[in-house]
Amino acid sequence: MAAYIITKKYRIDKSIKYILLFNILATICIPILVSFIKMPIMGPNFDKEAMLNKVQEAGIFTILFDIEAFGFLLYQAIGVIILILFMMFTLVGMIHVLAMINLVLKNRFSKIWEWFYIKTIGFCKTVQFYISFGMVLLVLSFLCVSGVFSAVISRL
C-alpha cells in the first residue's frame, strides 16, 4: 500500500505516514517475538517437550509443583496473548489507514469504508496514542515471551 501511494504521487498525511512506519516496525518485530517463544533469552533451562509429556502422563496439575517452570510458562502464555492483541491492534491501524485513503479517493463502497473509519477512529485518534499504546504492547510482549519478566520476578 505504501508503494502504491509513492508511485501514484499522492500526498500522504503525516499521521498516515507514522502509522505505516509503526506497522512496518511491527511486521518486523512479530516474527522475532514468535521465535522467542521457542528459544527465550532468559528463563529456566528445561525441555518444554519433556514437560508436555510429563503433563500428558501425570496430568495438568503436576506442573504446579515446579513453581519456576510454571511461572515461566505462565508469563510466556501471557506474552503470547499480548502478542496476539498487538497483532490485532496493528491490523486495526491498517484498516484505519485503508479507510482514510479510500474515503479520500472516493472509491466504490464508500459507505463500508466510512463504517470502518468510524469503528477504528478510537484507536487512531492521535498518532501519539497509537504509537505509544502499540509500543507498550510490544514491550510487554517482549518482556513476557523472552523470559526477561519471569527471570526478574524469580530473582526477587
Side-chain angles (χ1 to χ4, degrees), residues 58-124:
I60 190 75
F61 295 109
T62 59
I63 198 167
L64 294 175
F65 298 120
D66 189 0
I67 299 298
E68 186 176 356
F70 176 72
F72 176 73
L73 292 175
L74 178 68
Y75 285 119
Q76 268 207 325
I78 291 170
V80 169
I81 292 168
I82 294 171
L83 181 61
I84 291 169
L85 290 174
F86 177 70
M87 291 188 309
M88 289 173 29
F89 179 74
T90 58
L91 179 67
V92 168
M94 282 307 295
I95 290 172
H96 180 74
V97 169
L98 284 171
M100 283 178 24
I101 290 171
N102 283 311
L103 284 173
V104 168
L105 295 177
K106 296 185 185 358
N107 272 353
R108 299 183 303 173
F109 311 116
S110 290
K111 295 285 185 192
I112 295 172
W113 289 116
E114 184 178 351
W115 183 81
F116 279 130
Y117 180 78
I118 290 169
K119 294 298 180 185
T120 59
I121 192 71
F123 287 109
C124 306

Side-chain angles (χ1 to χ4, degrees), residues 5-29:
I5 292 171
I6 292 169
T7 58
K8 296 295 182 182
K9 306 274 190 237
Y10 287 110
R11 185 174 176 273
I12 58 173
D13 189 5
K14 285 192 185 247
S15 64
I16 294 174
K17 178 181 171 184
Y18 290 129
I19 290 173
L20 287 174
L21 288 174
F22 181 76
N23 284 347
I24 289 170
L25 173 74
T27 305
I28 293 169
C29 291

Side-chain angles (χ1 to χ4, degrees), residues 151-156:
V152 169
I153 295 293
S154 67
R155 288 187 183 150
L156 294 178

